[in-house]
Amino acid sequence: MQDAFDVIGQAFGQFIRYLVDALLGFFGGLDDAASGFLQGTSDTLGIAPSLLSLLVLAFGLWLLWKALRAILRQAIIVALIWAFLGATVLSWLIH
């Protein structure tokens, strides 16, 4: 009886070990891909690869998105304001 539970415990332990190794490989690859993307983006734009710089970049792109939506609504003055704000924020980052 003890041998049966020993075999079941070993099989369960091997399954957990396989699952953990698979998840580590997946998330390790995902981490490498994300860091490569962020490094490539920051190198191309000439900004520091810090979290603050990337948040300011996202904010500037969001402002430009608001300008595009305003153009689609045919609100030209509002679109110009959003575009100006977006370009100003992005110009702080990009050298």
Side-chain angles (χ1 to χ4, degrees):
M1 188 68 156
Q2 185 176 357
D3 291 335
F5 284 109
D6 189 36
V7 169
I8 292 172
Q10 286 179 0
F12 187 66
Q14 287 178 347
F15 172 73
I16 291 174
R17 175 70 179 234
Y18 175 76
L19 183 65
V20 168
D21 287 342
L23 288 173
L24 284 175
F26 173 74
F27 287 119
L30 192 63
D31 178 51
D32 291 341
S35 75
F37 174 77
L38 293 177
Q39 187 66 38
T41 301
S42 62
D43 287 345
T44 302
L45 294 174
I47 62 175
S50 67
L51 182 61
L52 181 63
S53 295
L54 295 173
L55 288 174
V56 172
L57 175 67
F59 181 67
L61 291 175
W62 177 74
L63 291 172
L64 291 179
W65 175 253
K66 295 284 285 185
L68 180 65
R69 291 197 38 142
I71 288 172
L72 294 176
R73 287 191 326 255
Q74 297 178 351
I76 302 301
I77 302 298
V78 175
L80 289 174
I81 293 170
W82 284 121
F84 175 74
L85 290 173
T88 302
V89 168
L90 291 176
S91 71
W92 292 337
L93 285 178
I94 300 172
H95 298 102

